[in-house]
């Protein structure tokens, strides 16, 4: 049975979230409720829940400080009345919800958590999907443009993929190279919790998003350590909105 901890300094907010979760995720067992960050951190480290629902503005320690201090594999969901979307992305939060929590958005969060925790229905076969961990890319020799060498890179190091009419560009901190895969093919091989399509031509690794720039209705992603700005088309902007 999956387990969770709810941490919020407002008892009524803890109660409301607990009741909503009981409706949407009956199998989830709330093993502790805490009213400050220190108690929340202590309970998470001791009880090792699958999920921790953390308010951000709490006494003693903030939810962000709790998340940074965790040494156990707990999925963190921030539930807050303030916009801390960038910090949530940087901390690889499983989800980010604004108060008052809308039941539809909580339902989406529950679905993502269940997928991340590989929860299946009773008697269902366990999930067998394995995501690609490495890619092999071709690099041109410095001596001869016609000479090629193959290099293996870790998927987690990829900042983004960008396609053109001929190939797909793979970009890391140190490598810019092409692979003979389509974006559609890559999406079927990559962990959807981290790799998201942001336009017809690009996939971004959420782990490396440093900032989100919005001007009018346009959105661009700033990636950590890169001058590139990746355009997010309007139909994909909801992936990076807290509201």
């Amino acid at each position: 049975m999956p387990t969770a901890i709810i941490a919020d300094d407002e008892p009524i907010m803890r109660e409301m979230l607990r009741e909503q979760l009981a409706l949407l995720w009956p199998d989830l067992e709330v093993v502790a409720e805490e009213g400050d960050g220190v108690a929340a951190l202590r309970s998470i480290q001791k009880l090792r829940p699958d999920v921790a629902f953390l308010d951000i503005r709490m006494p003693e320690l903030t939810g962000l400080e709790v998340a940074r201090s965790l040494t156990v594999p707990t999925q963190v969901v921030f539930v807050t009345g303030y916009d801390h979307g960038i910090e949530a992305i940087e901390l690889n939060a499983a989800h980010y919800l604004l108060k008052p929590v809308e039941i539809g958005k909580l339902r989406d969060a529950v679905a993502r958590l269940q997928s991340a925790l590989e929860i299946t229905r009773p008697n269902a076969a366990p999930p067998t999907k394995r995501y690609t961990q490495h890619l092999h890319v071709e690099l041109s020799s410095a001596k001869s443009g016609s000479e090629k060498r193959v290099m293996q890179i870790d998927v987690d190091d990829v900042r983004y993929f960008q396609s053109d009419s001929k190939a797909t560009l793979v970009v890391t901190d140190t490598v810019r190279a092409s692979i003979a895969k389509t974006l559609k093919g890559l999406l079927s091989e990559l962990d959807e919790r981290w790799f998201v399509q942001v336009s017809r031509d690009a996939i971004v690794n959420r782990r490396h998003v440093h900032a989100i720039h919005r001007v009018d209705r346009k959105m661009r992603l700033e990636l950590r350590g890169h001058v590139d700005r990746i355009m997010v088309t309007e139909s994909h902007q909801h992936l990076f909105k807290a509201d």
Side-chain angles (χ1 to χ4, degrees), residues 229-240:
R229 298 289 185 271
I230 308 301
M231 172 81 75
V232 182
T233 56
E234 211 168 324
S235 60
H236 295 88
Q237 289 182 10
H238 67 280
L239 297 169
F240 298 92

Side-chain angles (χ1 to χ4, degrees), residues 102-164:
E102 296 179 16
I103 194 72
K105 292 186 182 297
L106 182 59
R107 183 181 291 110
D108 291 342
V110 165
R112 289 191 188 185
L113 289 165
Q114 289 174 332
S115 175
L117 297 171
E118 298 183 339
I119 293 172
T120 58
R121 296 178 182 177
N123 303 321
T128 57
K129 184 173 182 179
R130 293 183 179 275
Y131 299 110
T132 295
Q133 301 298 316
H134 304 96
L135 293 170
H136 293 89
V137 300
E138 283 190 353
L139 301 175
S140 297
S141 171
K143 297 180 180 179
S144 170
S146 61
E147 184 179 339
K148 302 286 185 180
R149 66 187 180 92
V150 177
M151 177 180 181
Q152 178 176 287
I153 60 174
D154 291 337
V155 164
D156 288 348
D157 292 335
V158 176
R159 267 44 177 175
Y160 65 93
F161 298 93
Q162 192 148 32
S163 70
D164 58 29

